[in-house]
Amino acid sequence: MNESRRLVVKIGSSLITRGGRGLDHAAIARWSEQVASAVGAGTQIVIVSSGAVAEGMARMGWSERPDSLDRLQAAAAIGQMGLTEAWGDAFSKHGLHTAQVLLTHDDVADRRRYLNARSTLLSLIDLGVVPVVNENDTVATDEIRFGDNDRLGAVVAQLVDADGLIILTDQPGLMTADPTTHADAELVEAGAAGDPALRAYAGASSGRLGRGGMVTKLDAAALAAKSGAWTLLLDGSGDDALACAIDGTARGTRLTPSGAALKGRKRWIAGRLRIAGTIAVDAGAARALCKRGSSLLPVGVVRVSGQFRRGDLVEIVASDGAQRLATGITNYASEDAIRILGCASSELVDRLGYVGDAELIHRDNMALND
């Protein structure tokens, strides 16, 4: 039996909307029954449900996902009503209340709003309510979008300190090749979350209704792993697929964390997905960051790319750009970061004309990659 007590379950558009023909109420009823059974046995579950846009399309009789932002947001607004009602009605048959929680990336990029979202979700869980989370597509733009509900599921797993993230999809899991063109394709049953070798198996496919493919699911698993959560990818179309996933008997791809879980503020930093710029460091600085957990000093910086402001999230890479070392919140805007590039701490005032921070990125504001 699976001993995890708190799980996040993400359900994709193709499953929940019968390939775009409108909400599959029978499937929602099955999943709700299986979740209710698990909740009754002591497992706490948060659902991340796709389907609002696809349901809105079905209600409007649209066969193709809208290209324009206003129509996409209109479809989300129309479909969200039906999606919320479907989950609420299904769970009410088992004596459970649900709550709709809509998020954008801005809601977790801001530290205070992140903590508010966390508090709300944890309060709902403590009350015995099943939160149903979705991206707020009615207001989301490319600048504030998670990108897909796989990544949203991983962020929610971080928010609620989940033990595991279950991603129900229309595929059996990660395959060694495309099974539609390679008869010898095999299921990858286990691996380390964030292992670059796994990405070689995943194509850049994307469904007609959803935005995510297998690559985004691997990215989500790597993100969930930063908070210590495992991820299970599996075909959710079977009658008891979710129940089996919850109790640990399902066959799919299980991706486990390979490094220590991040805590508190560093977990929040890792969950911010919008990178404003890149800072390349020399070998000495890379060793100091990765081996000793040091702050990033200007003297170790060899290149600054992109335009960013103080407080923005930037990526730290090796000097050749091939290795992604960490992400962190910068103490300097890009123009000042360029001015102090390679600068010793004693030279900062002369370069800047004012007394600045000794660290370009403080270690408390940095999350290392595995």
Side-chain angles (χ1 to χ4, degrees), residues 223-239:
L223 183 57
K226 292 184 183 297
S227 61
W230 49 260
T231 297
L232 178 64
L233 314 174
L234 76 157
D235 186 347
S237 60
D239 288 345

Side-chain angles (χ1 to χ4, degrees), residues 41-56:
T43 300
Q44 299 171 330
I45 294 180
V46 179
I47 292 175
V48 175
S49 176
S50 301
V53 171
E55 170 65 3

Side-chain angles (χ1 to χ4, degrees), residues 120-210:
T120 298
L121 287 167
L122 293 178
S123 294
L124 291 169
I125 292 170
D126 288 342
L127 291 169
V129 174
V130 179
V132 179
V133 183
N134 197 357
E135 182 159 18
N136 193 355
D137 284 313
T138 59
V139 300
T141 62
D142 286 342
E143 288 74 21
I144 62 173
R145 186 181 296 284
F146 285 99
D148 57 80
N149 274 359
D150 296 321
R151 291 186 178 91
L152 175 58
V155 171
V156 172
Q158 290 187 340
L159 279 167
V160 302
D161 303 321
D163 298 287
L165 168 63
I166 297 170
I167 298 181
L168 299 183
T169 180
D170 56 3
Q171 301 296 320
L174 177 64
M175 306 294 291
T176 56
D178 185 347
T180 62
T181 56
H182 294 77
D184 59 346
E186 297 180 354
L187 177 68
V188 179
E189 297 197 38
D195 182 356
L198 297 179
R199 295 178 70 88
Y201 295 136
S205 62
S206 178
R208 179 174 59 88
L209 296 169

Side-chain angles (χ1 to χ4, degrees), residues 342-367:
C343 178
S345 298
S346 59
E347 302 172 326
L348 286 177
V349 175
D350 292 337
R351 292 276 191 98
L352 294 170
Y354 64 87
V355 179
D357 294 285
E359 306 88 3
L360 185 55
I361 301 176
H362 194 278
R363 63 183 180 182
D364 290 344
N365 291 328
M366 187 188 308

Side-chain angles (χ1 to χ4, degrees), residues 274-300:
R274 301 298 181 193
I275 304 296
T278 302
I279 295 175
V281 300
D282 61 26
R287 286 193 298 272
L289 296 178
C290 299
K291 302 298 183 183
R292 300 197 298 271
S294 301
S295 298
L296 176 60
L297 303 180
V299 69

